[in-house]
């Protein structure tokens, strides 16, 4: 059976899609492009209205394509699947499987059954009491590049930030057994992974539920970092309120823990942070930044920011801009607040108008571009090591360019024609030029 997966949303979805593709392939199914596929699988994101709407527009487009062939069907997985559930069957009759966020492990069996039973439909939407392990197939690197892998360490989130739908669509926080995390990491390194990113909505609270067997996140980091052959360890996402001194210390102690941290600030205004239910303030965030930079000089900080949260004033917004400058974020993801069904902020007033929110977003992104440029320009002239992810989009007709990342996660494009394929290799590079969002490097040594 030929299948095609379309993925929206965060790295957890990317990781789930990668697993599902491999699980189906291990059963003899084949990945195909749009035209040839018999089964379309949408792995969806519900965090803002836009990605949710995108799901309906993709399904609308598929409907026209599928009408020609009644044997072809679609499955919807991920956060919109959990949110809308069996409602998809009414709106899109060719959707025959709705698989919620805790049921991904059941999707291969369900898809096989649906392929054999053209009249059947299934909705798998139950949350499970524990982290759901997925046995087959064996893990392997590859979502980002041949030497990089994601490893889930927890499911769900208990924070209920006022704007956020994630706790509703991903369920309660459940940590994975540390033994299972380590086993997966070891297998991945044996299979060529040099970089592992540990994933969870709120990794700093790993182990605070019963699933972690009393192992803290800092301890988990130490155990994973000790795996021989693992060159780079990253993790995402951190919540500032749970970032404890032991994790900060780990940045100073663990050489292969990369010098970068994504630490979502959301807003620079204490009043807005309070209404968001984030449970930290500016002073606490700045204190964390100071401690982190003391533990690991040069640590690169990136963040998430929301503009136009209900009640946000020009002054509140000014405080966000001010924090951006104080911290000097290398880059940020910034979003206009978007009302989500059922979340606390949906009932908060006054809403900020679309025009004001758009203007604030523009303003913020312009400032970020300047901050990013400053950070990148500071790197020019230094030497670093780049882990190559694949060929670069930048090609100028001469030597081929390769795209990779430095230890802090900055994108570096390197001209290098010496070898057929540099993907997965680490190369020493001299940084020679800063572009808007990336660096240009020249090879400074042989690949290793
Ligand atoms: N668990 C992570 C990320 C969650 S979703 C964390 O706590 O940081 C990723 C980002 O989407 C959030 O950090 C937030 O900036 C943004 N986001 C979430 N809900 C949103 C909403 N309703 N409107 C706009 N942005 C939102
Ligand atoms: Fe959403 Fe907050 Fe949980 Fe992040 S920590 S997933 S923003 S509720
Ligand atoms: Fe989106 Fe779900 Fe991830 S809402 S951001 S795909 S957890």
């Amino acid at each position: 059976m030929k299948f095609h997966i379309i993925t929206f949303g965060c790295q957890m979805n990317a990781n789930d899609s990668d697993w599902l593709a491999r699980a189906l392939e291990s059963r003899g199914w084949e990945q195909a492009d749009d035209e040839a596929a018999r089964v379309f699988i949408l792995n969806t994101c519900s965090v803002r209205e836009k990605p949710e709407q995108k799901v309906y527009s993709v399904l609308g487009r598929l409907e026209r394509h599928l009408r020609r062939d009644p044997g072809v069907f679609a499955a919807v997985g991920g956060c919109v699947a959990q949110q809308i559930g069996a409602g998809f069957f009414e709106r899109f009759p060719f959707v025959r499987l709705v698989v919620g966020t805790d049921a991904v492990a059941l999707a291969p069996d369900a898809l096989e059954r649906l392929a054999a039973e053209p009249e059947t439909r299934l909705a798998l939407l139950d949350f499970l009491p524990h982290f759901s392990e997925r046995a087959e197939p064996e893990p392997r690197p590859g979502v980002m590049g041949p030497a990089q892998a994601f490893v889930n360490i927890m499911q769900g989130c208990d924070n209920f930030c006022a704007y956020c739908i994630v706790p509703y669509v991903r369920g309660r926080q459940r940590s994975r057994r540390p033994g299972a995390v380590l086993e997966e990491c070891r297998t991945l390194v044996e299979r060529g992974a040099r970089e592992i990113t540990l994933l969870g909505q709120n990794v700093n609270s790993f182990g605070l539920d019963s699933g972690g067997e009393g192992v803290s996140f800092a301890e988990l980091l130490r155990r994973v970092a000790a795996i021989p052959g693992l060159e780079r360890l990253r993790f995402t996402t951190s919540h500032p309120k749970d970032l404890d001194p032991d994790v900060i210390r780990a940045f100073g102690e663990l050489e292969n823990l990369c010098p970068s941290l994504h630490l979502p600030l959301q807003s620079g205004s204490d009043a807005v942070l309070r209404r968001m239910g984030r449970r930290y303030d500016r002073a606490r965030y700045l204190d964390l930044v100071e401690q982190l930079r003391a533990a690991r000089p040069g640590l690169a900080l990136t963040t998430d920011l929301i503009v136009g949260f209900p009640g946000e004033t020009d002054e509140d917004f000014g405080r966000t801009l001010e924090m951006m400058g104080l911290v000097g974020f290398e880059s940020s993801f910034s979003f206009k607040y978007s009302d989500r069904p059922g979340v606390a902020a949906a009932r908060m007033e006054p809403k900020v108008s679309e025009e004001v929110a758009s203007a604030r977003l523009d303003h913020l992104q312009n400032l970020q571009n300047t901050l990013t440029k400053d950070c990148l320009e500071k790197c020019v002239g230094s030497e670093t090591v780049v882990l190559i992810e694949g060929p670069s989009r930048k090609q100028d007709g001469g030597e081929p360019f390769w795209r990779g990342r430095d230890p802090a996660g900055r994108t570096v494009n390197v001209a290098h024609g010496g070898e057929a394929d540099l993907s997965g290799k680490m190369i020493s590079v001299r940084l020679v030029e800063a572009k808007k969002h990336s660096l240009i490097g020249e090879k400074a040594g042989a690949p290793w």
Side-chain angles (χ1 to χ4, degrees), residues 6 12 24 49 69 112 114 135 137 162 196 203 215 266 342 352-353 355 377 419 433-434:
I6 304 167
M12 275 171 251
L24 289 172
E49 198 185 344
D69 188 342
E112 275 186 340
L114 293 173
I196 286 179
V203 291
V215 173
Q266 312 298 1
V352 172
S353 74
E355 282 148 318
E377 274 168 3
E419 273 189 48
E433 195 186 333

Side-chain angles (χ1 to χ4, degrees), residues 8-13 44-48 51 78-80 101 165-166 169-170 201:
F8 306 90
C10 61
Q11 283 120 322
M12 275 171 251
N13 270 12
T44 63
C45 173
S46 179
V47 78
R48 283 168 292 278
C79 294
V80 184
T101 50
I165 199 171
V166 169
V169 291
R170 292 260 165 180
Q201 287 299 345

Side-chain angles (χ1 to χ4, degrees), residues 157 159-161 163-164 166-167 201 239 266 278:
C157 177
N159 284 327
F160 291 93
C161 301
Y163 49 81
C164 186
V166 169
Q201 287 299 345
H239 192 306
Q266 312 298 1
R278 292 288 286 178

